[in-house]
Amino acid sequence: MKSAIPCYYHLEVEVSPERIDQVRRILTAHLRHWGLGVLSEPVCRCTGVLLHEIEEHGTDKNTVVEMWWNGQHLITAVSDANRELPERHYGPQGCLTQIAALSDGWGSFPATDGKIIWFSRRVRAPERAPLAPAAPAPSLREALDLPRAMPLAALAGPGEAQPAEAEPAEAEPAVV
């Protein structure tokens, strides 16, 4: 089995409503480039939920979004300057509840200048497009066997006599 090449992406962004949509498009493009387009919807939804919370409740709007792909797991982390994790995040409609529903695992931990919330998704194998186009299917003419060249004697009927001096090697092939 071929191992995947590890990939990493880092994006620093000042969060605003229009930037959240831009970040989603950027992440989708990177996931497709890595052959992980199937993950774009859950990853962008989770990231969008976290960025929306930062935009709505954060005092410092500067944040960092990072993605790591190791061949089996895609880990996405969003960090901000607020060290506290408010209680509303844990509620039934909180962002962490949504992230837990859309990911295989998640967590948070304090950083030196804020906190980091991460989530992961597992993928068995990335979607890889072939580098060279596949060979086209044979046409009807190529699929049918062409008749082999046969000596004239084999084409002659039983009532026709063939001259004795003619050798089969000198006979011309018949064109059908």
Side-chain angles (χ1 to χ4, degrees):
M1 182 173 157
K2 211 173 175 183
S3 63
I5 299 171
C7 301
Y8 173 76
Y9 181 68
H10 176 98
L11 176 66
E12 295 180 22
V13 63
E14 185 174 343
V15 180
S16 65
E18 60 274 355
R19 294 289 288 170
I20 293 173
D21 290 334
Q22 290 175 350
V23 169
R24 287 181 181 175
R25 288 191 298 271
I26 291 169
L27 295 182
T28 297
H30 277 279
L31 290 171
R32 285 183 183 154
H33 177 71
W34 292 348
L36 301 171
V38 70
L39 292 181
S40 64
E41 177 61 28
V43 168
C44 290
R45 282 187 62 197
C46 289
T47 305
V49 165
L50 291 171
L51 293 177
H52 181 70
E53 286 293 320
I54 294 169
E55 191 269 326
E56 194 172 302
H57 302 290
T59 54
D60 184 9
K61 306 292 186 198
N62 293 321
T63 186
V64 175
V65 178
E66 296 174 285
M67 290 192 307
W68 294 271
W69 165 243
N70 66 7
Q72 292 182 346
H73 297 275
L74 177 75
I75 301 167
T76 306
V78 177
S79 62
D80 66 338
N82 189 6
R83 290 186 63 84
E84 299 169 8
L85 206 58
E87 286 297 318
R88 68 179 177 279
H89 287 336
Y90 293 106
Q93 298 300 319
C95 70
L96 297 180
T97 304
Q98 294 176 36
I99 291 171
L102 293 169
S103 65
D104 295 327
W106 69 275
S108 67
F109 55 92
T112 56
D113 57 346
K115 70 178 175 302
I116 299 172
I117 298 176
W118 61 269
F119 58 91
S120 69
R121 291 291 305 226
R122 180 180 164 87
V123 177
R124 297 212 182 267
E127 306 161 0
R128 294 288 180 194
L131 296 178
S139 67
L140 184 59
R141 178 172 293 234
E142 293 170 348
L144 296 175
D145 290 333
L146 296 175
R148 286 184 246 143
M150 299 179 74
L152 221 30
L155 294 176
E160 300 175 14
Q162 182 168 339
E165 352 14 286
E167 296 180 23
E170 294 178 357
E172 294 190 24
V175 177
V176 179

